[in-house]
């Protein structure tokens, strides 16, 4: 049996793996120093670059929508007329589950309730107005904006991989901008290392949030007492399960896990909708959508510039954290959805990635968050813990208030988070390993396991160094350098699609000219053949039997054509050459 040729990219694998492993060790053995450095860097980043994140994400939304409705929409991400690799429901389940699954469960109840109880600085009004603003702000963080970021990098990668046949690597998404020589060189290595950093820390943030919620759920069920030791044990156990899923590959592990957690999430959603105030929740969803579209422009560009330190603190904990989280997730989600989108058109890719997750996300937050706000308004304090919203336990508190809810729904939510955890770790390590192996779409098992374990280690180190605050800081910091890669990807996909569209237009024009030439030639040839005699002046024989002395028609034609003609007088026997004038 032939030994498999190594596909490892040493200039990417060793720097990325070594630096991330060093961070894990420092997180455990120099905890205070790491926490202080991260806190300082977060403050400087938010103060100096918060506005930059706001403008950048807004630009990505506008650009993504334009690509979807533009003249580029019919270009196929693969050979022309090729059928997609995955059917639409399976495709959607895979991209959605890996996109933001754990976050939806963790923040589904807590975020709208938090915005309602502690409104964004500058937001005021009575309870109905605060509830509307809370839902609208949540939609901003989870709606078009994150998915527009994924569209930019995902489309650039899908075009590069499936249309141009390039390796599955972030660097090749920038080939139209940088050129092949730079992409293959040190600059391409730096791009892939940044992508690995963003992916590992973005996935680790999700894993850390998931572990916190699982621990809170186990405490709610009186199974275990919450604490750092429980969280570390959960990370170790679930990372082991994720490693087994990694070993099974894309078609088995990720595909079936994605379908399973989408069905479980749907079951939980329907249960809360049916057992809660169904009519109110549907009305609230419609109204919140209207509020969101009415105010999305203002909310998008709101940097709380006039709210002082309170505004900066709120931004760093919510909007800037989310924008950093989504940007750090972008290489992972972008490469993964590019990998599964072969055969889709540009329009299908953009509209599917933007609209369908947006629709499902708003329904999710309307049902869970709307139920929590409705409960808190009816029974003040029932959704709070010690006078404040507890993000870890908010969902379990909601289940207690539902008729027939409680323990079984808590168990379902814990299972859902575990499955999302495994899916995120599985697909995250798969994507990182593709980057570390030069774009190889079937990387070796040992390196996939290495990255799955390392992602769990980063999540553990972040929780050990500072919990939720450390998770948020990691996302904000790792997003800053990778944002430059996203800008390059946006420029590159524009250059690539514009160049191909111009080439398609030139080919179509040549074909139309050729068809027009052939049509005119055929028409002229047929006309000339049909009227050959008339056009060339050739005459048929003259009919001497014309008894009325009139010139035959052919002779008249000859006269018009300049042919000399003299009348033959059959009555007096004179020849045609005689002069009859005398």
């Amino acid at each position: 049996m032939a030994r498999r040729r190594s596909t490892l990219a040493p200039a990417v694998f060793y720097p990325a793996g070594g630096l991330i492993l060093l961070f894990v060790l420092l997180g455990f053995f120099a905890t205070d120093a790491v926490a202080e450095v991260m806190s300082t860097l977060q403050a400087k980043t938010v103060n100096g670059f918060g506005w930059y994140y706001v403008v950048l994400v807004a630009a990505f939304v506008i650009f993504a929508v334009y690509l979807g409705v533009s003249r580029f929409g019919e270009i196929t991400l693969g050979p022309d007329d090729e059928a997609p690799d995955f059917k639409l429901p399976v495709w959607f389940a895979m991209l959605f589950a890996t996109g933001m699954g754990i976050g939806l469960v963790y923040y589904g109840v807590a975020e709208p309730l938090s915005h309602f109880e502690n409104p964004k600085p500058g937001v005021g009004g009575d309870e109905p107005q605060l509830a509307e603003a809370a839902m609208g702000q949540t939609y901003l963080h989870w709606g078009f904006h994150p998915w527009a970021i994924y569209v930019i990098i995902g489309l650039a990668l899908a075009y590069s991989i499936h249309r141009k046949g390039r390796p599955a690597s972030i660097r090749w998404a920038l080939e139209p901008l940088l050129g092949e020589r730079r992409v293959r060189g040190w600059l391409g290595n730096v791009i892939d290392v940044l992508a690995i950093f963003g992916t590992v820390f973005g996935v680790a943030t999700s894993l850390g949030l998931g572990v916190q919620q699982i621990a809170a759920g186990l405490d709610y069920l009186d199974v275990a007492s919450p604490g750092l030791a429980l969280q570390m044990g959960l990370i170790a156990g679930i990372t082991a399960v994720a490693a087994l899923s990694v070993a099974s590959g894309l078609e088995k592990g990720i595909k079936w896990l994605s379908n399973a957690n989408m069905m479980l999430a749907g079951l939980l959603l329907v249960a809360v909708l049916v057992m809660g105030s169904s009519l109110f929740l549907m009305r609230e969803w419609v109204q919140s959508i209207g509020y969101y579209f009415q105010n999305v422009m203002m909310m998008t560009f709101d940097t709380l510039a006039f709210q002082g330190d309170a505004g900066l603190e709120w931004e760093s904990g919510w909007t800037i954290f989310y924008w950093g989280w989504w940007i750090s997730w972008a290489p992972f989600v972008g490469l993964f959805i590019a990998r599964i989108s072969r055969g889709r058109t540009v329009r299908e890719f953009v509209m599917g990635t933007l609209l369908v997750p947006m629709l499902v996300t708003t329904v999710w937050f309307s049902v869970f968050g709307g139920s929590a706000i409705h409960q808190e308004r009816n029974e003040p304090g029932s959704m709070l813990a010690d006078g404040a919203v507890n993000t870890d336990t908010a969902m379990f508190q909601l289940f207690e208030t539902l008729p027939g809810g409680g323990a079984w729904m808590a168990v379902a939510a814990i299972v859902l988070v575990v499955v999302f955890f495994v899916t995120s770790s599985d697909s995250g390590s798969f994507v990182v390993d593709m980057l570390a192996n030069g774009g190889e779409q079937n990387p070796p098992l040992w390196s996939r396991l290495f990255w799955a374990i390392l992602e769990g280690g980063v999540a553990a180190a972040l929780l050990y160094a500072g919990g939720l605050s450390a998770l948020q800081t990691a996302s904000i910091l790792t997003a800053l350098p990778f944002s430059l890669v996203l800008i390059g990807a946006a420029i590159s996909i524009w250059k690539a699609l514009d160049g191909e569209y111009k080439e398609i237009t030139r080919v179509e024009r040549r074909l139309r000219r050729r068809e027009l030439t052939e049509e005119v030639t055929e028409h002229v040839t047929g006309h000339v053949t049909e009227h050959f005699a008339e056009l060339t002046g050739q005459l048929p024989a003259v009919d001497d039997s014309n008894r009325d002395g009139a010139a035959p028609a052919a002779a008249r034609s000859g006269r018009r054509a300049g042919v000399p003609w003299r009348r033959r007088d059959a009555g007096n026997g004179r020849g045609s050459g005689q002069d009859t004038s005398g």
Side-chain angles (χ1 to χ4, degrees):
M1 181 177 176
R3 185 178 180 182
R4 175 174 174 169
R5 180 182 61 85
S6 174
T7 58
L8 195 70
V12 176
F13 182 92
Y14 292 116
L19 290 174
I20 294 172
L21 186 59
L22 177 62
F23 173 84
V24 172
L25 295 176
L26 289 174
F28 282 109
F29 297 106
T31 307
D32 293 338
V34 169
E36 184 178 352
V37 169
M38 291 183 67
S39 178
T40 302
L41 290 176
Q42 181 194 29
K44 291 185 178 298
T45 302
V46 173
N47 288 332
F49 295 95
W51 65 271
Y52 165 74
Y53 281 143
V54 169
V55 172
L56 185 65
V57 174
F60 286 155
V61 174
I62 295 169
F63 185 57
V65 172
Y66 171 76
L67 289 177
V69 300
S70 71
R71 61 187 187 276
F72 309 138
E74 296 305 315
I75 296 176
T76 303
L77 301 174
D80 290 331
D81 302 321
E82 182 179 57
D85 282 354
F86 297 97
K87 294 182 179 179
L88 190 61
V90 176
W91 178 64
F92 167 63
M94 293 174 74
L95 72 88
F96 187 77
T98 54
M100 51 182 64
I102 290 178
L104 283 179
V105 183
Y106 187 75
Y107 285 108
V109 172
E111 181 170 351
L113 188 61
S114 296
H115 296 326
F116 176 71
E117 286 294 316
N118 300 289
K120 182 171 72 171
V123 174
D126 55 20
E127 282 192 348
Q129 291 173 320
L130 292 176
E132 276 190 332
M135 297 305 302
Q137 191 68 43
T138 303
Y139 290 175
L140 178 78
H141 293 155
W142 293 84
F144 288 126
H145 293 67
W147 291 97
I149 298 171
Y150 301 156
V151 164
I152 300 302
I153 189 65
L155 184 59
L157 286 165
Y159 182 87
S160 170
I161 296 168
H162 302 311
R163 189 74 175 177
K164 296 300 181 182
R166 300 295 190 244
S169 181
I170 302 294
R171 66 174 72 193
W172 290 104
L174 276 71
E175 183 186 10
L177 176 64
L178 301 178
E180 184 177 354
R181 183 177 62 84
R182 291 188 180 91
V183 165
R184 290 187 182 276
W186 68 269
L187 188 55
N189 294 332
V190 170
I191 290 170
D192 280 346
V193 169
L194 289 176
I196 290 176
F197 263 85
T199 300
V200 170
F201 281 90
V203 172
T205 299
S206 292
L207 303 187
L209 296 177
V211 164
Q212 286 182 323
Q213 192 168 39
I214 293 170
L218 294 176
D219 177 54
Y220 169 81
L221 295 172
D222 293 326
V223 174
S225 299
L228 189 60
L230 176 61
Q231 293 175 357
M232 297 297 109
L234 287 171
I235 287 178
I238 301 176
T239 299
V241 177
L244 294 176
S245 178
V246 165
S248 66
L250 178 67
E251 289 292 335
K252 294 180 180 178
I254 300 177
K255 178 179 177 180
W256 291 113
L257 282 174
S258 299
N259 291 333
N261 58 17
M262 286 301 294
M263 288 188 289
L264 184 56
L267 177 63
L268 201 59
L269 178 75
V270 171
V272 175
L273 179 62
V274 172
M275 296 163 62
S277 303
S278 306
L279 180 59
F280 164 78
L281 293 176
M282 297 311 297
R283 291 169 59 209
E284 175 261 326
W285 174 64
V286 173
Q287 183 171 328
S288 299
I289 287 286
Y291 180 91
Y292 169 70
F293 281 114
Q294 183 181 2
N295 296 277
V296 64
M297 187 67 71
M298 180 273 294
M299 292 189 296
T300 295
F301 290 97
D302 187 10
T303 60
L304 301 178
F306 300 106
Q307 301 299 327
D309 292 339
L312 281 175
E313 182 180 357
W314 191 94
E315 282 278 284
S316 66
W318 289 108
T319 302
I320 302 304
F321 157 63
Y322 275 126
W323 291 173
W325 192 11
W326 304 144
I327 291 173
S328 65
W329 264 66
F332 155 48
V333 180
L335 187 52
F336 188 78
I337 62 177
R339 174 79 165 77
I340 63 176
S341 297
R342 183 180 179 89
R344 301 280 170 195
T345 65
V346 169
R347 183 165 294 115
E348 285 177 330
F349 184 94
V350 173
M351 294 308 178
T353 306
L354 278 182
L355 296 179
V356 179
M358 165 64 183
L359 177 65
V360 176
T361 299
T362 56
V363 171
W364 180 274
F365 278 103
S366 288
V367 171
F368 285 90
S371 296
I373 292 175
H374 184 64
Q375 172 65 27
E376 181 62 23
R377 289 190 65 198
N378 289 336
E379 298 182 29
S382 60
M383 290 300 301
L384 305 180
D386 298 326
V389 177
N390 187 323
T391 310
D392 294 337
T393 62
M395 177 169 284
F396 304 112
Q397 291 175 255
L398 175 64
F399 294 156
E400 278 188 334
T401 67
L402 298 175
W408 76 267
M409 296 185 75
V411 171
I414 291 173
V415 172
L416 183 63
V417 174
V418 170
V419 177
F420 272 133
F421 187 127
V422 173
T423 306
S424 297
S425 179
D426 188 339
S427 49
S429 59
F430 185 85
V431 165
V432 167
D433 205 24
M434 284 196 293
L435 298 176
N437 281 270
E440 171 63 36
Q441 297 194 35
N442 292 292
L445 175 60
W446 72 266
S447 53
R448 298 209 304 270
L449 294 174
F450 169 80
W451 292 112
I453 295 170
L454 193 59
E455 285 165 1
V458 172
L462 289 172
L463 287 175
Y464 193 75
L468 179 60
S469 177
L471 295 172
Q472 292 176 331
T473 302
S475 293
I476 294 172
L477 296 180
T478 55
L480 188 59
F482 191 76
S483 66
L484 301 177
V485 178
L486 284 176
I487 294 172
I491 297 172
S492 295
I493 192 58
W494 169 264
K495 288 173 64 70
L497 293 176
D498 186 57
E500 175 155 345
Y501 182 81
K502 288 178 179 177
E503 180 60 28
I504 291 172
T505 303
R506 283 193 292 268
V507 171
E508 288 179 346
R509 286 175 179 170
R510 285 198 297 268
L511 289 174
R512 283 199 295 268
R513 284 198 295 267
R514 183 182 303 169
E515 290 173 356
L516 182 60
T517 301
E518 292 174 353
E519 184 179 346
V520 171
T521 302
E522 182 179 353
H523 178 73
V524 170
T525 302
H527 183 76
V528 169
T529 302
E530 183 179 353
H531 302 283
F532 180 79
E534 181 178 351
L535 292 173
T536 59
Q538 293 183 7
L539 299 176
V542 177
D543 186 2
D544 288 340
S545 64
N546 191 316
R547 287 191 285 261
D548 61 1
R556 290 196 301 273
S557 297
R559 187 185 301 126
R560 286 195 301 270
V563 179
W565 175 78
R566 292 197 178 166
R567 184 173 178 229
R568 168 180 290 184
D569 193 341
N572 57 19
R574 294 173 182 168
S576 61
Q578 289 182 276
D579 185 2
T580 61
S581 61

